[in-house]
Amino acid sequence: MNKTALITGGASGLGFELALLFAKDDYNLVLVDINSEKLEEAKHDIEKSFSVDVKIMAKDLSQINISSEIMMELGDTEIDALVNNAGFGCFGAFHEVDWERQSQMLNLHVLTTTHLTKLVLGGMVKRGSGKILNVSSLAAFQPGPLMCLYYATKGYILSFSEAISNELKGTGVTVTALCPGPTKTSFQEVVANDCSENKIRFNMASAQAVAAYGYKCMMKGKCVAIPGGINKILGTLPRFIPRNMAANIVRKIQEKNREG
């Protein structure tokens, strides 16, 4: 029987590209996304090209306890691979950004990612096999003024992934944190028009390329995956400069792009 992969944010962008890679390897799919129309399109496109089953769930992943709801609807379906990909960002000074939007991002990046991982992990360990890919960001390696909660939550995802990856050694289950730099997806449309992500043209990767790299690293059981040579260098720089200096650099980049 085919294995099954559960992918959040699977209707478009990086999530959809990862879904295509799983389908190519004969995984049945469970795609979860807030956009029901995009989910239907994704299901149609995948089933037209691959002989796999695609189950779709239109869910707001920023809601408390949504992970339990998803698993309840899945019933006895065994999840062999989990991709926590869904996410968005908030741009602006912490005290000025709408709290409802900020809390939704915290719930999605931290609570849903953590809870969904916990709910599938027990079965994976019991079976002695499983793959988990948590989508973090290059932002995880330093503080990020004007996108402080986005950077902080992506840092949480990275640290969480590294820790449980270590805990799971010898179980047959692996955890990979994918930390891409700027990637051309719908993320730019959601954050804000003046976010630096919308100004960057240099070093902007395609969702297809990032997905391919992340998928390859996940299948190899690599703990941290940073696509692109430049990004690998940028990911190591915060180790060699004071954190307040790193914060100042990010702040200046954000302010410059907002003005420009």
Side-chain angles (χ1 to χ4, degrees):
M1 294 179 63
N2 290 21
K3 293 183 178 181
T4 300
L6 169 59
I7 305 172
T8 68
S12 61
L14 188 58
F16 178 71
E17 294 297 336
L18 285 163
L20 292 175
L21 294 170
F22 277 108
K24 185 178 179 181
D25 282 346
D26 296 323
Y27 277 77
N28 291 328
L29 300 171
V30 180
L31 305 182
V32 187
D33 202 288
I34 197 170
N35 192 323
S36 57
E37 185 176 332
K38 285 285 188 181
L39 279 171
E40 292 287 356
E41 292 176 5
K43 175 180 171 69
H44 176 266
D45 291 343
I46 294 169
E47 290 186 337
K48 182 176 65 175
S49 302
F50 303 97
S51 299
V52 298
D53 294 327
V54 181
K55 180 180 178 63
I56 56 176
M57 294 185 184
K59 303 287 185 184
D60 182 353
L61 290 158
S62 69
Q63 297 301 301
I64 301 295
N65 291 325
I66 194 66
S67 298
S68 295
E69 185 177 313
I70 291 169
M71 298 306 292
M72 189 176 298
E73 290 186 22
L74 286 175
D76 295 331
T77 303
E78 293 182 352
I79 301 302
D80 302 285
L82 169 65
V83 178
N84 285 303
N85 164 70
F88 66 91
C90 298
F91 182 80
F94 172 71
H95 68 282
E96 295 176 345
V97 177
D98 177 65
W99 170 246
E100 183 177 356
R101 191 62 171 161
Q102 289 177 323
S103 62
Q104 288 173 343
M105 185 179 68
L106 287 167
N107 289 340
L108 172 55
H109 291 187
V110 177
L111 293 181
T112 299
T113 294
T114 307
H115 195 197
L116 197 53
T117 299
K118 188 173 183 67
L119 291 174
V120 303
L121 197 51
M124 288 181 172
V125 172
K126 187 176 181 179
R127 294 189 299 273
S129 66
K131 303 285 185 184
I132 296 175
L133 180 69
N134 291 328
V135 179
S136 180
S137 169
L138 200 61
F141 296 95
Q142 63 272 312
L146 300 183
M147 287 187 72
C148 64
L149 292 184
Y150 178 78
Y151 277 58
T153 56
K154 290 299 183 178
Y156 168 84
I157 291 172
L158 174 60
S159 179
F160 169 63
S161 301
E162 289 178 305
I164 61 174
S165 173
N166 180 274
E167 292 178 359
L168 293 166
K169 286 182 178 179
T171 65
V173 181
T174 61
V175 179
T176 300
L178 176 60
C179 302
T183 307
K184 190 61 181 174
T185 68
S186 59
F187 176 90
Q188 289 79 16
E189 301 167 11
V190 174
V191 180
N193 289 332
D194 52 1
C195 169
S196 64
E197 288 272 1
N198 287 330
K199 311 292 184 178
I200 295 171
R201 294 295 178 267
F202 171 71
N203 197 34
M204 176 72 79
S206 69
Q208 186 177 26
V210 171
Y213 183 83
Y215 188 80
K216 180 180 178 181
C217 290
M218 176 190 62
M219 287 303 178
K220 289 183 174 180
K222 187 174 182 180
C223 181
V224 179
I226 305 176
I230 294 174
N231 291 331
K232 286 182 175 64
I233 295 171
L234 293 175
T236 63
L237 281 180
R239 301 178 188 175
F240 304 104
I241 61 175
R243 287 182 66 80
N244 65 330
M245 183 182 295
N248 287 335
I249 292 171
V250 173
R251 173 74 181 270
K252 288 178 180 178
I253 292 171
Q254 296 282 24
E255 288 180 335
K256 180 179 179 181
N257 282 305
R258 182 162 60 176
E259 294 168 359

